[in-house]
Structures are given as C-alpha cells and as structure tokens.
Amino acid sequence: MIFDGRWKWELKKQSWAISLWQKAPSYGEYGKHKLNRAVLYSATVLRKTIEDEIEAEKVAKEQNWTLPECKIMRGVISATKYPYTDEDGWAFRGKICVSSYGEGQAASLKVKDVCNWLLHSYVWGVAGYADQKGFAGFLVASDFDKEKFVHFVSFDEWQKVIDADIKNGAF
C-alpha cells in the first residue's frame, strides 16, 4: 500500500515538472520529452494508488473495518473527445487546437482508464497550442479505440487529479 511520503512527493515533483515544461515551447522536443515523462510517471503512481485503494476496500470489507473514503479510484477527469480523421498519424500531430480535428465533445473519463491508456497504449503524446506558445495537454486513446477517437486532457485537469491524490488519497 502507498502511505504518505515518497509517492506523494514524487507526484508533487511530476506536477511541478508539468507546470514548468508546459510553458517552455522553445525547448521543443526536449520539452515534450520532459512532459511525456512527467505524465507517464504520474500515471504510474496514480494507477498504483487506485490499485491500493481497491485492495484496501476489499480487505476492510472482509475484516469489517472502516476506511476513509477512497476518492481516487472513483475519480473522473474532464476531457474533450475528438473523432478519427482518417489521417495517417493523426493522433501524433499534437495540434489539437487546429480546426482540422473538427468539433470535440466534452467527456468525463475515469482516472483509472486514462492511466491504463497512458501505460498500455502507444497512442498518446503532448499537444500544443496552435499559436505555439506552450503545451496545452496530452492526447490519448486506448488501443481498442485508436481508430475511432482520441481524448484530449489538459494539463490543468491532469494536475487537479494529481493534487486530489496528494491531498485526499487514502494512502
């Protein structure tokens, strides 16, 4: 199980990295690498937190114990869902704010699903603003849905999830 300490410190470090590198488009590919790394590392810790909460609830139920509310495993994140464009490499262009993606739909995604997609799918990457004055968030899709749609998650929304885990995670 995860307890306060190193894991939450690691999440704070990754949140700080996202804050720093999303405002530094002049670093180009190196900045994207740092953002991809911070998103991947934070997704790994969040996924571990979710798994620990699920296991803790199972054990607590068997032992008839009372636990604090496990909020992270039931968490949702706001995203925008964009349709597949039939364009080769469409999810990797990284310019989500360009109108060629069409109109996106608001979507609420389970944090666990987003973490799974980040950890197990090859369809994800950093998305920049059309004016190239920073990075907006990341694009992600499950392997199953990669030719149907892609989700855009802003870095602000991702950091809200990280902050919620740091402040409210049961472990």
Side-chain angles (χ1 to χ4, degrees):
M1 287 186 190
I2 294 178
F3 296 100
D4 283 349
R6 296 292 291 170
W7 289 110
K8 289 189 179 185
W9 176 83
E10 186 66 34
L11 281 177
K12 286 179 187 176
K13 189 169 102 176
Q14 300 313 321
S15 181
W16 176 83
I18 290 169
S19 294
L20 174 72
W21 291 105
Q22 74 177 359
K23 297 174 185 137
S26 60
Y27 286 91
E29 291 302 311
Y30 184 71
K32 284 183 184 180
H33 163 74
K34 289 296 206 175
L35 285 166
N36 279 324
R37 179 179 157 180
V39 169
L40 183 61
Y41 284 13
S42 58
T44 303
V45 175
L46 289 168
R47 168 78 183 276
K48 180 69 174 132
T49 302
I50 291 166
E51 289 173 358
D52 285 351
E53 285 185 352
I54 291 168
E55 184 63 27
E57 275 197 345
K58 204 181 299 179
V59 170
K61 188 175 182 178
E62 290 172 3
Q63 300 297 324
N64 211 15
W65 295 338
T66 303
L67 280 181
E69 183 183 1
C70 296
K71 297 178 181 182
I72 304 306
M73 69 182 190
R74 292 183 184 82
V76 294
I77 189 166
S78 297
T80 307
K81 181 177 176 178
Y82 290 93
Y84 180 55
T85 63
D86 287 333
E87 177 185 341
D88 189 38
W90 74 292
F92 298 105
R93 281 189 38 218
K95 294 179 182 170
I96 199 65
C97 300
V98 176
S99 61
S100 63
Y101 276 99
E103 289 298 314
Q105 287 180 294
S108 291
L109 307 172
K110 292 180 182 178
V111 173
K112 182 179 180 181
D113 290 343
V114 175
C115 290
N116 285 340
W117 298 339
L118 287 166
L119 296 172
H120 300 292
S121 176
Y122 68 93
V123 182
W124 65 284
V126 173
Y129 290 108
D131 62 7
Q132 298 181 358
K133 292 188 178 183
F135 298 107
F138 59 88
L139 300 164
V140 65
S142 72
D143 284 340
F144 179 74
D145 293 327
K146 67 185 175 200
E147 292 184 354
K148 297 176 188 167
F149 49 82
V150 68
H151 291 96
F152 168 75
V153 177
S154 74
F155 285 128
D156 292 337
E157 282 296 315
W158 189 246
Q159 286 181 293
K160 285 178 190 176
V161 172
I162 291 172
D163 291 342
D165 192 348
I166 292 167
K167 293 174 186 166
N168 304 320
F171 298 98

